Amino acid sequence: MSHIIRRIGTPPSARGSATGANCPDIFELSDGRFAVIGTDLTEELDGKLPSDASRADYERIVVVSRRTLIDAKGDIPDA
């Protein structure tokens, strides 16, 4: 079973969250995958995916703010 190794990017409080909670976040997992906390926009975006993209029934389309991803960029490994 995977566990969270570290946060990727800055914590929500450093990105302007007044409470530091309920904000998008990205974490690196012990098995090398990444976990994303974001807004589930599967219903809105599922039919708008490019023709060469699809998702399994168990997958969701999750959106994070631009700032969340840009702040994480420096922490994402190249390989």
Side-chain angles (χ1 to χ4, degrees), residues 29-61:
L29 302 179
S30 58
D31 63 4
R33 296 181 298 166
F34 294 88
V36 177
I37 298 172
T39 304
D40 182 353
L41 290 183
T42 303
E43 288 186 29
E44 180 181 332
L45 297 175
D46 198 39
K48 299 174 182 175
L49 289 172
S51 60
D52 61 348
S54 64
R55 65 170 190 85
D57 288 341
Y58 57 86
E59 295 175 321
R60 309 301 294 164
I61 301 171

Side-chain angles (χ1 to χ4, degrees), residues 4 6-8 25-29 33-37:
I4 294 172
R6 66 184 178 126
R7 170 179 277 115
I8 301 296
D25 227 333
I26 304 171
F27 300 94
E28 185 173 3
L29 302 179
R33 296 181 298 166
F34 294 88
V36 177
I37 298 172

